[in-house]
C-alpha cells in the first residue's frame, strides 16, 4: 500500500463503523499507518465497559477494522478507550507514539445520537451528545496539539493535520436534534480557533460536514438510503474519505480553518458567518427605529438556509 499518505501515522476516532471505518481504510490504502479508535457503543451511546488503557478486545469494532487493514497488507493497531475522557484521549496519542514513533494526523469522527424534540430532551441526553461530539473533539485535539507543540519547540516542526467532523445540522440546524446541532456547531467554532492557535506549531485544522449512509443517518435519510442496484452510490461513506485523506496529508499545505460540505461527488467550501447588510445611525436607536432598521436590513439580506426537517 502506498500513496499520498506514505510514511504518515493517522489516528481516526469512531473508526469501527461507517465514515470512520471508511476513513481508516482509505488512509491505509494510501500508505498510512492507522490507529483505529472505537469504543463499540450502541447508536445511542450505550457503552460496553471500556478498558481505561485503550487495550482492544478481540471482538471490538476497532480490532476488526485494524485486522481488515492488516489483511490487505497495511499497518494498523486498534484502540478501545473512551476519547471523551482525558485518559482515553491521552492514550490515543501515546498508542500512536508507542506503536509507530510518531503522530501526523488526527481525524475526529466519533459520535452517537440521542434525538428528541427540545421540549422532550432530557439533560442527560444533552450532556451525553455534547460530551462525545464536542468534548471528544476537544480532548483528542488538545493532547495531539500538546505533542506537536513540544515537537515544534524542540526544533522538529511537524506537518500535522487535524480533520474534525461537523454536520449540516451544525451549519443550518436540524429539527429534533438540538443537542447534536449544538455540538456540531461548536465543532466548527473549535476548528476555527484551533486553526488560528496551532498554525505556529505546524498544525493545520479543518472540518468536514459530510452526508453519507451510516447507522446515525438511517432515520434522517430513510427515503434516500437505499443504494442503487447499478451506478454511482452517492450515499456511500467511501465518497467522503478522499477529502479527509487529502486534508490529512502533506499535500493540503496552506489549507486551514476551512469547513467543507461533502456528499457523493459534490464538495462545497462553506462561507460561514460573514457581515451582511449594515446600518449605523451613529447614535443610540429607539426601539421603534430599530424595528424599521431591522426590516430594512432583512429585505436586503439573503434568506437563511432551511433548517433540516422544518
Amino acid at each position: 500500500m502506498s500513496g499520498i499518505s506514505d510514511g504518515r501515522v493517522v489516528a481516526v476516532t469512531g473508526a469501527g463503523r461507517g465514515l470512520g471505518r471508511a476513513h481508516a481504510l482509505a488512509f491505509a490504502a494510501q500508505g498510512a499507518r492507522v490507529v483505529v479508535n472505537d469504543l463499540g457503543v450502541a447508536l445511542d451511546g450505550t457503552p460496553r465497559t471500556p478498558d481505561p488503557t485503550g487495550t482492544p478486545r478481540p471482538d471490538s469494532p476497532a480490532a476488526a477494522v485494524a485486522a481488515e487493514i492488516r489483511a490487505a497488507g497495511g499497518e494498523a493497531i486498534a484502540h478501545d478507550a473512551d476519547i471523551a475522557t482525558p485518559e482515553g484521549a491521552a492514550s490515543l496519542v501515546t498508542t500512536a507514539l508507542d506503536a509507530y514513533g510518531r503522530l501526523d494526523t488526527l481525524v475526529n469522527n466519533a459520535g452517537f445520537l440521542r434525538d428528541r424534540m427540545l421540549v422532550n430532551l432530557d439533560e442527560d441526553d444533552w450532556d451525553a451528545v455534547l460530551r462525545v461530539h464536542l468534548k471528544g473533539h476537544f480532548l483528542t485535539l488538545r493532547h495531539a496539539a500538546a505533542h506537536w507543540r513540544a515537537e515544534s519547540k524542540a526544533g522538529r516542526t511537524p506537518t500535522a493535520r487535524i480533520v474534525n467532523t461537523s454536520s449540516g445540522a451544525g451549519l443550518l440546524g436540524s429539527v429534533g436534534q438540538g443537542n447534536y446541532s449544538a455540538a456540531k456547531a461548536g465543532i466548527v467554532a473549535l476548528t476555527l480557533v484551533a486553526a488560528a492557535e496551532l498554525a505556529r506549531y505546524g498544525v493545520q485544522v479543518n472540518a468536514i460536514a459530510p452526508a453519507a449512509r451510516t447507522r446515525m443517518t438511517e432515520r434522517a435519510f430513510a427515503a434516500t438510503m437505499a443504494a442503487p442496484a447499478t451506478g454511482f452510490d452517492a450515499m456511500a461513506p467511501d465518497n467522503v474519505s478522499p477529502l479527509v485523506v487529502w486534508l490529512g496529508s502533506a499535500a493540503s499545505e496552506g489549507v486551514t480553518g476551512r469547513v467543507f460540505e461533502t456528499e457523493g461527488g459534490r464538495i462545497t467550501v462553506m462561507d460561514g458567518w460573514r457581515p451582511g447588510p449594515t446600518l449605523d445611525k451613529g447614535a443610540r436607536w429607539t426601539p421603534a427605529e430599530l424595528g424599521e432598521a431591522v426590516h430594512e436590513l432583512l429585505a436586503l439580506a439573503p434568506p437563511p438556509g432551511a433548517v433540516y426537517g422544518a
Side-chain angles (χ1 to χ4, degrees):
M1 291 184 171
S2 64
I4 197 173
S5 299
D6 276 351
R8 295 182 71 79
V9 174
V10 179
V12 184
T13 71
R17 306 178 179 94
L19 283 167
R21 174 181 174 274
H23 300 340
L25 294 175
F27 272 110
Q30 290 292 319
R33 292 168 287 176
V34 185
V35 180
V36 181
N37 163 266
D38 201 289
L39 191 55
V41 300
L43 179 59
D44 65 352
T46 303
R48 301 179 308 159
T49 302
D51 186 315
T53 67
T55 303
R57 294 164 176 78
D59 62 343
S60 73
V65 174
E68 186 176 356
I69 290 171
R70 292 192 296 268
E75 295 184 58
I77 186 170
H79 179 263
D80 204 17
D82 182 357
I83 49 82
T85 66
E87 299 79 12
S91 72
L92 179 68
V93 176
T94 57
T95 294
L97 299 178
D98 291 347
Y100 302 121
R102 60 187 298 136
L103 175 64
D104 301 287
T105 298
L106 168 66
V107 179
N108 280 315
N109 171 78
F112 56 74
L113 296 175
R114 292 191 184 179
D115 293 352
R116 300 282 191 280
M117 301 298 279
L118 287 172
V119 295
N120 296 320
L121 184 61
D122 291 336
E123 185 177 352
D124 287 347
D125 293 331
W126 173 272
D127 289 344
V129 169
L130 268 289
R131 175 185 178 275
V132 67
H133 288 278
L134 189 52
K135 187 178 180 181
H137 271 62
F138 160 67
L139 287 175
T140 53
L141 184 156
R142 176 189 173 205
H143 284 284
H147 164 68
W148 289 323
R149 181 182 63 178
E151 288 290 286
S152 179
K153 289 186 173 182
R156 299 183 295 270
T157 301
T159 304
R161 305 287 187 260
I162 299 174
V163 183
N164 292 330
T165 305
S166 183
S167 167
L171 304 175
L172 295 172
S174 180
V175 171
Q177 293 189 308
N179 48 3
Y180 179 74
S181 297
K184 291 304 190 182
I187 287 167
V188 171
L190 177 64
T191 298
L192 302 180
V193 172
E197 290 186 359
L198 302 181
R200 72 191 72 179
Y201 306 124
V203 184
Q204 293 183 181
V205 190
N206 294 285
I208 61 166
R213 182 191 308 107
T214 70
R215 291 193 307 166
M216 289 176 56
T217 58
E218 286 176 346
R219 286 183 292 176
F221 298 144
T224 58
M225 279 293 98
T230 59
F232 176 54
D233 180 3
M235 298 306 293
D238 312 69
N239 299 326
V240 176
S241 299
L243 173 61
V244 176
V245 171
W246 184 80
L247 288 172
S249 76
S252 64
E253 181 65 31
V255 179
T256 193
R258 296 287 190 166
V259 179
F260 299 88
E261 194 172 54
T262 175
E263 175 184 341
R266 177 177 60 84
I267 177 174
T268 303
V269 179
M270 304 306 288
D271 275 343
W273 290 102
R274 296 179 180 274
T278 304
L279 286 174
D280 185 353
K281 180 182 176 182
R284 183 180 299 133
W285 299 83
T286 68
E289 289 174 332
L290 264 179
E292 293 179 4
V294 168
H295 282 298
E296 182 178 343
L297 292 174
L298 290 177
L300 298 172
V307 174
Y308 287 104

